[in-house]
Amino acid sequence: MSNRFVEQGLRSPVNLTWEVTLACNLRCRHCLSSSAEPAANELNSTEALALVEELHQEGVFQINFGGGEPFMRPDFMQILDACHQRGIMTCISTNGTLFTPELVAQLSKTSMVAIQVSLDGAKKETCETIRGKDTYETALRALELLTQSSIPTSINTVLTTDNADEIQELQNLANQLGVTLRISRFRPSGRGADNWEELRPSPSQLIEFSAWLAENENIRTGDSFFSLTSQERQGLGLNLCGAAKLTCCVSPDGMVYPCAFLQSDRFEAGDLRKNSFKQIWDSSEIFESFRGLRIHSCEDCQRFDQCHGGCPAVAYHLKDDIEGGDPECLERCVTSIADAKEAETAA
């Protein structure tokens, strides 16, 4: 798909993220939404099923379910079934704590679901420092159950300073289990904002990760790391922000946002209890602003064609400026290291 079509925005999103609940039985330190208890006014079953039908009518190809922990929502399997009956592909991000042989058997009845199990370290201590006690073994048990099924399964790891040195070990673990590895970017939203300085990868770790990605083309990153994309990985995925162009986010209470990392009043595109999804997608001023977003400060950079200014969400959270360019892009990482060495030499 050409960047020209992406920049203009599609008639409807190819996929979207739907956080079906904020309820979660874990308190992960990097959680993008500070999940804990259910939101006060989450969409009820009738509203959720109506939204599935509406997204089907609009031609949405895939829904990425997250939370919170999606399986803590009592009617989640009903929502999944409604998607599959309408030909909508689904991908579920889960912590794996609620998986049983019976649940896996039920999920295996369709070929339209994929599962991402969160595991944030190749070592038990690393994972549990981020996700909590017993989360390492629990995730492994879920992965082992899933590998006995036909469900496409992946380990999903958020890159942090704690696990940056374990990425190759995680890839080895994924290979051993017969699953794929997906690596997501840590962004300073939700509970992650509270622990940003402790968990954010250093510039040198990001540069090393970029080099590692260049040598491992089979690693999936979604659009998480296009700001670090090397020449070797060009063409493997989207190299500019797809928010409001290819995708968007629906929150548990039916609010619509450009992406999951910009769920604040400032970026509220619409309320599904007041307007249809089509009305919001077609007419939201927030979405229009993202479709016209240009990171002019980055246009002279030699890597502009590779990352187009990087992630607006990170620019917003760190600089309060979605047009300011990604503070963690590869060029800025290189500059940051050079400045630190120069300051050290001067001292």
Side-chain angles (χ1 to χ4, degrees):
M1 185 178 298
S2 74
N3 286 347
R4 178 171 62 85
F5 288 114
V6 174
E7 289 171 354
Q8 291 174 346
L10 303 183
R11 181 185 67 82
S12 61
V14 173
N15 62 63
L16 59 81
T17 295
W18 183 356
E19 295 195 339
V20 287
T21 183
L22 282 187
C24 191
N25 53 353
L26 299 182
R27 301 293 184 269
C28 299
R29 293 168 62 210
H30 58 17
C31 180
L32 72 91
S33 57
S34 297
S35 296
E37 301 301 321
N41 196 22
E42 295 187 355
L43 296 178
N44 61 36
S45 295
T46 301
E47 292 170 324
L49 294 174
L51 177 57
V52 171
E53 173 61 23
E54 189 174 0
L55 296 176
H56 166 60
Q57 293 296 329
E58 290 306 305
V60 173
F61 174 74
Q62 178 172 307
I63 298 175
N64 301 317
F65 285 105
E69 170 51 48
F71 289 102
M72 289 192 71
R73 180 168 171 135
D75 60 356
F76 182 54
M77 293 302 296
Q78 186 181 0
I79 295 171
L80 273 185
D81 288 343
C83 292
H84 300 154
Q85 289 165 10
R86 290 161 175 78
I88 300 175
M89 301 294 294
T90 59
C91 181
I92 307 167
S93 294
T94 173
N95 60 33
T97 58
L98 303 178
F99 274 68
T100 62
E102 293 74 21
L103 176 58
V104 172
Q106 190 173 358
L107 291 167
S108 298
K109 293 178 181 179
T110 178
S111 61
M112 305 190 73
V113 65
I115 306 286
Q116 296 177 357
V117 179
S118 295
L119 185 70
D120 285 299
K123 298 181 176 67
K124 175 181 177 179
E125 314 84 74
T126 307
C127 182
E128 294 191 353
T129 295
I130 297 172
R131 305 189 64 82
K133 190 176 186 302
D134 297 329
T135 53
Y136 183 78
E137 286 90 351
T138 301
L140 287 182
R141 282 197 296 271
L143 288 163
E144 288 164 357
L145 278 174
L146 287 162
T147 57
Q148 297 168 24
S149 75
S150 59
I151 301 171
T153 302
S154 62
I155 292 172
N156 187 56
T157 299
V158 177
L159 184 73
T160 64
T161 191
D162 290 355
N163 63 28
D165 295 334
E166 299 179 19
I167 296 301
Q168 183 58 58
E169 292 177 69
L170 280 162
Q171 169 69 328
N172 296 342
L173 176 61
N175 290 339
Q176 178 185 333
L177 290 169
V179 300
T180 57
L181 176 63
R182 186 183 192 278
I183 304 177
S184 299
R185 186 173 176 185
F186 178 41
R187 294 177 172 96
S189 67
R191 196 176 293 120
D194 298 333
N195 297 295
W196 174 250
E197 294 302 331
E198 294 176 49
L199 292 177
R200 67 184 298 187
S202 68
S204 60
Q205 286 176 323
L206 290 172
I207 290 173
E208 289 172 9
F209 178 68
S210 178
W212 185 85
L213 277 180
E215 298 175 358
N216 292 271
E217 292 188 353
N218 58 327
I219 300 299
R220 296 186 298 119
T221 63
D223 68 354
S224 292
F225 286 107
F226 57 91
S227 61
L228 297 177
T229 300
S230 63
Q231 191 68 37
E232 291 83 353
R233 284 182 68 89
Q234 273 198 316
L236 291 180
L238 191 65
N239 66 345
L240 78 165
C241 176
K245 304 161 190 170
L246 289 175
T247 188
C248 63
C249 174
V250 176
S251 70
D253 59 358
M255 306 306 294
V256 183
Y257 301 93
C259 85
F261 299 96
L262 291 173
Q263 296 183 67
S264 68
D265 293 345
R266 177 172 173 178
F267 299 104
E268 184 181 295
D271 182 346
L272 289 167
R273 288 187 167 113
K274 297 178 180 178
N275 298 103
S276 69
F277 182 83
K278 179 175 175 55
Q279 288 173 319
I280 296 169
W281 181 260
D282 288 347
S283 306
S284 162
E285 292 183 7
I286 289 294
F287 280 5
E288 285 301 313
S289 69
F290 269 77
R291 289 163 190 160
L293 183 63
R294 299 292 182 271
I295 314 299
H296 296 297
S297 61
C298 294
E299 289 178 349
D300 293 333
C301 176
Q302 61 182 347
R303 298 191 69 255
F304 184 72
D305 288 342
Q306 289 171 260
C307 82
H308 294 269
C311 176
V314 176
Y316 166 69
H317 286 294
L318 296 185
K319 298 168 33 174
D320 194 28
D321 181 10
I322 63 171
E323 298 180 350
D326 194 324
E328 291 190 328
C329 74
L330 197 57
E331 287 297 310
R332 286 186 170 93
C333 287
V334 171
T335 300
S336 176
I337 291 174
D339 290 346
K341 287 181 178 178
E342 184 178 336
E344 185 178 336
T345 301

